[in-house]
Amino acid sequence: MPAELALYSDRLFFAAVVVYVLAMVLHGGEYSRRRSTRAAALVGAGAAAEVGPTPDEGPPAGDGGAAPGPRRDPAERLGRMAVALTVLGAGLHLASIVLRGVAAQRWPLGNMYEYTSMICLAAVVAWLVLLRRSPASRPVGLFVLLPVLILQFLAGTVLYVPAGPVVPALQSYWLSIHVTTIAASSGLLLVPGVASVLYLVRRTGRSNAVLDRLPSASALDRLAYRTTIVAFPLYTFAIIVGAIWAEAAWGRFWGWDPKETVAFVAWVVYAAYLHARATAGWRTGAAAWINILAVAVMIFNLFFINMVVAGLHSYAGLG
Amino acid sequence: MTTEAPPRPATAEEPPRGGRFALLRNTWRGLTSMRTALVLLFLLALAALPGALLPQRSLNQRLVEQYFADNPSIAPLLDSLGFFDVFAAPWFAAVYLLLMVSLVGCVLPRTVEHARALRAAPVAVPRNLSRLPHHGSAELPVGLDEAAALVRGRLRGWRVAERSDDSGDAAGRSFSAEKGYLREAGNLLFHLSLIGLLVMFAVGKLFGYEGQVIVLSGGGQFCNTGILGYDSFRAGLRVDGTELEPFCIRVDDFRAEYEQTGQPSSFTAWLGYQTADDLAAGRTDSWRPYTLAVNHPLRVDGSRVYLLGQGYAPRFTVTFPDGQQRTGEIQWRPVDQTTLLSEGATKFEPPGVTDDEQRRTRQLAVTGLFAPTSSGGEVVTSIFPDLRNPEVAVDVLRGDLGLDDGRGQSIFQVDQSKIDSGELVRVARANLVPGQSVTLDDGTVVTFDGVRSFVSLQVSHDPGQVGVLVFAVVLLAGLGASLSVRRRRFWARLTPVADDGGGPARTVVEVGGLARTDRAGYGEEFDRLRADLLDAPTAAPADDHEES
Ligand code: HEM
């Protein structure tokens, strides 16, 4: 029975990846449709003698060119479908994680595969919540799903391990609190990282089909900041819980183990980001760079420290 | 909306008065500015990184030695700069001490300032409210007093200063309101508890200690009476080992369970312990029971006892030609953590030999490998960590073990130089299962009797850790308040409309708002306030929505 459940969990994981890919494709379509709609409008206006709109060009030229109604605009429709698929993907993803836990009969965060999967889910859920609050940022979805999919791909291939039990040090209820909150905050922090990158690109003032559909630079900046101020306290909490657990499991609450050290470094860089946001002259560009640096440190901690440096945290299960 | 740390960067308001004090003052200002804090934070992050990227003595001495072997040219240089002991290096201490100073220098004045701000009235209404990011105005068909009552009612929960306002033609009234003082309080709490946390951390480093000791299961005992009882001991800077809490521990039994794959699934040690009070009161024959497990340390007398690991101690009995017997039982060191293949050296003195010269030619050592579950082959290897099919592969050495040389030697090895010099020679080699023995050329019989488990325990003492936890929790609360509360200001200016014809009284109400902090979202709240106050068709709709 558990073996079967584990198999279903893997299938759901795969299904979630496929659905996320589809969502990305639709988001991509959202960008390209916008361009073709605009092109159609220009063609329609220029060549009045043409016999009607071309069949696959979506709405008639007049409609597309003037104020496009939200219903009719194909870009809008694609975008909405992309979001719907993202929700579906998140549902499948969650089911995959839950089944994995049932199959292994423990909290499903015992190795890097499970951990990375959880980070991805956290990122997607964070993104969906953000989207509810500011629907206008929807086109950013493409760029949120991109790192999520890369991580999912790595999780499903390089990091994958079959469902199984964990070593004694991990058999503690602290695992569920510490690792879940760390994964959740890491996932959450992925979103501001993406927003800050887009912000820096948008700020250059360049214009093309993709950039023009993104929210304004200041909206992206706000997106990054607002998410960080939720994720940062959560991350702080997760580190504190980790220290409490380390006190029980390893004999000291803080020992500068490589994983702890880099977590500390990331924390300090995020603190620097918050400071930069409150320091004249650093508030915009520099702050965004610091935010990107911080998320880079988080990812570095996830992969490099787990896989290359040996430490107490090396529970990756990568043998 | 600029929020600037109150101790402003070096652009001093007062002209420098020259001399040493100016230098001091400027240094102080520079050190406590936001920008310096930012730079120091980066330096701290940068300084900590090598601690993760290079092997550290405090974590794994062997990896450090490996690094020296692999990088013989650069390792000594890195070592002299302290890169293998980053968190004890002077430059690391310098960075965090500077940060501490900067933090104190920044937070204390801010605390004073905030305390003052809590008592002071909110700042007066700006001259031109329409310049503010949020603003609006309307002419209400009510008199001044009525309008004032309206504003006053709506600003419940805000800190409000009501003033009479003579800036216009007629005597009006103004309201200054502010909300969200908790943000600054939370922020200060955060920074103050950061200081507290670091201080308690330092207390732990100064007055704490940590020692490891190996105790045989099945009745082995250990008392925390001094450093010498430990196999390894790391003392805080102010610990000399004379004032440890003298509790005692006895390991009654130990059990490890494994998955089929050899992965451990649980470790449990059944202990008895006696507290320092028990011992002082002379209750030395009764033991308090405790079940020690991973994630479940024993907490006694302000210290904690942890189950760190396990291993095996093979027992050998040597029967000398004259019939005298000696039994040796000492832990062997696991060389492979997954199969617990172990190596070690059990050493024996010849009995009844008083002549030192003779003694030194007749000492014995049984050295080699121990496999808890032997593969059964010619070459002994272990295929499982549990005791299923124990076997040893040993060399018996005879000669001078070098025990009298005054040099400490490893309990797991014999002195290789004695073998090289021929003072210690191999006299037998055998694979033995429990009960089997090997006979030496002089008739001495070495028997492998059996195996006992040992546990490796760690005793930790950290008088600062409760303080660290308390400050960490307060820090988190402060951070939450600091990041979730918005500090915002609201102003209203009420000007009665000059009334020549005796018509109904009218009042112009202008409102303006300013979010003092980065947190966006004041726009919506302001819109609601404005709508409640200016709910009249004449209200000017102009409002900048930049923040919402
Ligand atoms: C060295 C002196 C320091 C100064 C002058 C300083 C100053 C400040 C100021 C003025 C704020 C308020 C920012 C705002 O209201 O948005 C702030 C916030 C903060 N500081 Fe510091 N700080 C210092 C050190 C530190 C250190 C060492 C850390 C942590 C490692 C830290 C972490 C934070 C955090 C997380 C916030 C919250 C950000 C926010 O409220 O938006 N600070 N600091």
Side-chain angles (χ1 to χ4, degrees):
Chain A
M1 186 61 183
E4 232 168 72
L5 288 180
L7 186 67
Y8 284 127
S9 162
D10 293 350
R11 285 190 183 148
L12 283 166
F13 179 85
F14 185 70
V17 170
V18 171
V19 172
Y20 288 153
V21 170
L22 283 179
M24 256 188 94
V25 170
L26 290 179
H27 268 309
E30 189 183 5
Y31 286 97
S32 62
R33 285 310 283 197
R34 178 50 149 242
R35 195 171 32 184
S36 64
T37 310
R38 208 182 274 160
L42 290 175
V43 169
E50 288 279 322
V51 269
T54 33
D56 62 346
E57 207 66 291
D63 249 358
R71 287 273 167 70
R72 298 261 182 83
D73 184 350
E76 182 74 22
R77 218 163 43 218
L78 286 176
R80 285 185 181 204
M81 282 163 64
V83 173
L85 278 185
T86 311
V87 173
L88 174 66
L92 294 170
H93 197 162
L94 177 66
S96 145
I97 292 177
V98 170
L99 270 192
R100 176 88 173 186
V102 177
Q105 293 174 329
R106 57 171 172 75
W107 196 254
L109 279 173
N111 51 54
M112 266 192 83
Y113 160 71
E114 296 167 6
Y115 182 62
T116 309
S117 179
M118 184 67 102
I119 290 179
C120 290
L121 181 64
V124 172
V125 170
W127 165 242
L128 290 172
V129 171
L130 265 177
L131 201 54
R132 266 197 82 92
R133 303 184 124 218
S134 57
S137 27
R138 195 189 57 216
V140 177
L142 178 65
F143 301 97
V144 173
L145 284 177
L146 184 67
V148 165
L149 271 171
I150 293 174
L151 286 179
Q152 290 265 87
F153 175 77
L154 288 174
T157 53
V158 187
L159 306 177
Y160 182 79
V161 287
V166 293
V167 298
L170 293 188
Q171 295 164 13
S172 162
Y173 60 91
W174 287 113
L175 172 102
S176 43
I177 307 177
H178 169 59
V179 191
T180 309
T181 46
I182 285 273
S185 49
S186 305
L188 270 162
L189 287 168
L190 212 54
V191 178
V194 169
S196 281
V197 172
L198 294 180
Y199 164 78
L200 286 176
V201 176
R202 194 82 164 88
R203 210 166 78 110
T204 59
R206 259 183 292 155
S207 164
N208 63 38
V210 173
L211 290 184
D212 292 348
R213 256 190 94 68
L214 286 175
S216 69
S218 67
L220 285 166
D221 190 44
R222 241 175 293 135
L223 192 72
Y225 180 69
R226 281 184 170 187
T227 318
T228 305
I229 60 172
V230 175
F232 183 69
L234 184 64
Y235 183 52
T236 309
F237 172 78
I239 292 178
I240 294 174
V241 170
I244 294 174
W245 185 18
E247 195 267 346
W250 295 331
R252 80 290 182 293
F253 67 88
W254 194 267
W256 298 111
D257 182 66
K259 192 104 205 173
E260 293 169 359
T261 304
V262 180
F264 169 76
V265 169
W267 191 79
V268 170
V269 179
Y270 274 112
Y273 167 70
L274 293 179
H275 276 123
R277 290 284 313 208
T279 307
W282 289 67
R283 195 161 296 132
T284 49
W289 279 110
I290 297 172
N291 196 25
I292 293 169
L293 178 68
V295 83
V297 175
M298 295 290 285
I299 292 173
F300 174 78
N301 202 11
L302 171 61
F303 287 102
F304 188 79
I305 297 297
N306 271 15
M307 299 166 75
V308 182
V309 181
L312 290 171
H313 274 90
S314 300
Y315 296 126
L318 296 173
Chain B
M1 274 127 293
T2 301
T3 37
E4 190 60 43
R8 267 162 240 284
T11 56
E13 301 90 43
E14 359 159 8
R17 245 164 278 152
R20 259 174 310 167
F21 288 113
L23 180 67
L24 259 178
R25 196 173 53 232
N26 286 341
T27 311
W28 179 248
R29 285 225 178 93
L31 196 57
T32 55
S33 79
M34 271 295 256
R35 199 148 319 176
T36 311
L38 206 48
V39 170
L40 287 174
L41 281 173
F42 271 115
L43 270 182
L44 183 67
L46 201 63
L49 260 191
L53 302 181
L54 291 171
Q56 297 294 300
R57 288 229 164 73
S58 57
L59 297 177
N60 196 329
Q61 177 69 33
R62 253 193 257 179
L63 284 180
V64 177
E65 282 156 17
Q66 185 65 41
Y67 192 90
F68 266 82
D70 295 346
N71 307 279
S73 53
I74 133 164
L77 176 67
L78 290 177
D79 196 24
S80 64
L81 295 175
F83 275 99
F84 299 113
D85 261 316
V86 167
F87 303 104
W91 43 267
F92 188 79
V95 173
Y96 80 68
L97 283 179
L98 271 180
L99 197 62
M100 281 274 278
V101 171
S102 165
L103 198 53
V104 172
C106 161
V107 168
L108 291 186
R110 274 183 69 184
T111 309
V112 174
E113 187 154 327
H114 185 59
R116 220 175 274 146
L118 277 180
R119 269 175 287 125
V123 296
V125 182
R127 185 170 296 276
N128 191 348
L129 284 174
S130 63
R131 287 244 184 90
L132 294 174
H134 307 287
H135 56 88
S137 74
E139 196 175 308
L140 300 186
V142 294
L144 181 63
D145 288 336
E146 211 174 324
L150 180 70
V151 174
R152 214 175 288 129
R154 188 60 186 77
L155 288 178
R156 208 159 283 142
W158 291 65
R159 174 183 296 268
V160 184
E162 195 175 335
R163 301 180 175 94
S164 60
D165 184 274
D166 308 319
S167 62
D169 308 335
R173 205 164 298 169
S174 76
F175 288 83
S176 311
E178 182 152 357
K179 207 173 176 178
Y181 289 83
L182 199 57
R183 181 190 179 97
E184 179 71 358
N187 195 278
L188 290 171
L189 203 58
F190 169 85
H191 287 87
L192 286 171
S193 36
L194 199 61
I195 299 172
L197 193 152
L198 289 173
V199 168
M200 292 320 276
F201 193 88
V203 165
K205 290 289 163 236
L206 288 178
F207 299 99
Y209 61 85
E210 197 176 272
Q212 275 105 29
V213 61
I214 279 173
V215 185
L216 288 182
S217 147
Q221 290 186 16
F222 164 77
C223 286
N224 186 39
T225 41
I227 294 181
L228 289 179
Y230 287 97
D231 299 326
S232 70
F233 192 83
R234 195 155 69 208
L237 293 172
R238 319 251 31 192
V239 174
D240 56 10
T242 54
E243 288 172 8
L244 310 186
E245 290 291 333
F247 59 86
C248 287
I249 287 167
R250 187 182 69 194
V251 179
D252 296 324
D253 199 4
F254 171 78
R255 196 159 71 227
E257 282 165 19
Y258 299 92
E259 307 291 336
Q260 279 309 316
T261 57
Q263 177 184 326
S265 61
S266 78
F267 295 129
T268 315
W270 286 269
L271 303 184
Y273 68 96
Q274 294 169 335
T275 65
D277 285 347
D278 289 346
L279 295 170
R283 294 187 291 267
T284 48
D285 44 355
S286 70
W287 295 81
R288 300 162 187 264
Y290 191 81
T291 308
L292 191 66
V294 180
N295 277 315
H296 192 231
L298 165 67
R299 293 173 192 277
V300 54
D301 290 337
S303 298
R304 294 106 56 201
V305 182
Y306 297 89
L307 181 55
L308 278 197
Q310 61 145 337
Y312 296 105
R315 187 169 67 247
F316 297 96
T317 298
V318 178
T319 310
F320 292 90
D322 60 1
Q324 295 211 61
Q325 287 193 331
R326 288 290 180 273
T327 295
E329 184 179 42
I330 189 166
Q331 65 267 23
W332 283 22
R333 171 172 67 194
V335 287
D336 181 343
Q337 285 300 335
T338 50
T339 64
L340 289 186
L341 182 72
S342 309
E343 65 172 13
T346 308
K347 300 167 188 174
F348 296 89
E349 292 274 359
V353 180
T354 43
D355 175 35
D356 269 355
E357 205 56 42
Q358 268 220 7
R359 222 187 94 232
R360 260 182 254 142
T361 59
R362 308 242 321 261
Q363 290 171 330
L364 285 177
V366 182
T367 82
L369 291 172
F370 167 78
T373 301
S374 167
S375 63
E378 192 67 15
V379 178
V380 168
T381 56
S382 177
I383 52 174
F384 200 77
D386 207 2
L387 266 190
R388 288 184 177 171
N389 183 22
E391 186 172 14
V392 286
V394 291
D395 285 346
V396 183
L397 307 175
R398 187 169 56 207
D400 183 4
L401 291 173
L403 296 174
D404 306 332
D405 292 3
R407 280 182 293 142
Q409 61 169 265
S410 162
I411 59 167
F412 302 111
Q413 281 166 339
V414 291
D415 187 346
Q416 183 63 35
S417 68
K418 295 288 179 191
I419 297 178
D420 296 341
S421 68
E423 290 169 88
L424 192 58
V425 281
R426 189 175 86 203
V427 289
R429 165 170 283 185
N431 292 356
L432 306 173
V433 299
Q436 285 185 335
S437 52
V438 57
T439 308
L440 309 186
D441 51 3
D442 63 355
T444 303
V445 179
V446 177
T447 310
F448 174 33
D449 302 324
V451 198
R452 268 212 283 177
S453 288
F454 71 78
V455 294
S456 108
L457 301 179
Q458 173 173 311
V459 176
S460 305
H461 181 73
D462 183 344
Q465 75 170 20
V466 173
V468 169
L469 180 62
V470 169
F471 280 115
V473 171
V474 177
L475 175 148
L476 190 59
L479 186 65
S482 157
L483 290 179
S484 62
V485 174
R486 273 166 286 130
R487 183 87 178 264
R488 60 256 195 225
R489 287 179 172 166
F490 182 85
W491 291 282
R493 177 179 289 125
L494 279 49
T495 319
V497 176
D499 165 26
D500 327 311
R506 300 180 71 77
T507 308
V508 172
V509 179
E510 295 169 86
V511 296
L514 178 67
R516 290 193 61 203
T517 48
D518 209 350
R519 178 83 158 80
Y522 181 38
E524 292 150 34
E525 185 187 6
F526 181 83
D527 285 346
R528 252 178 288 130
L529 262 171
R530 188 188 55 187
D532 288 353
L533 292 178
L534 310 184
D535 197 2
T538 45
D543 187 17
D544 184 349
H545 280 261
E546 188 205 16
E547 279 283 1
S548 59

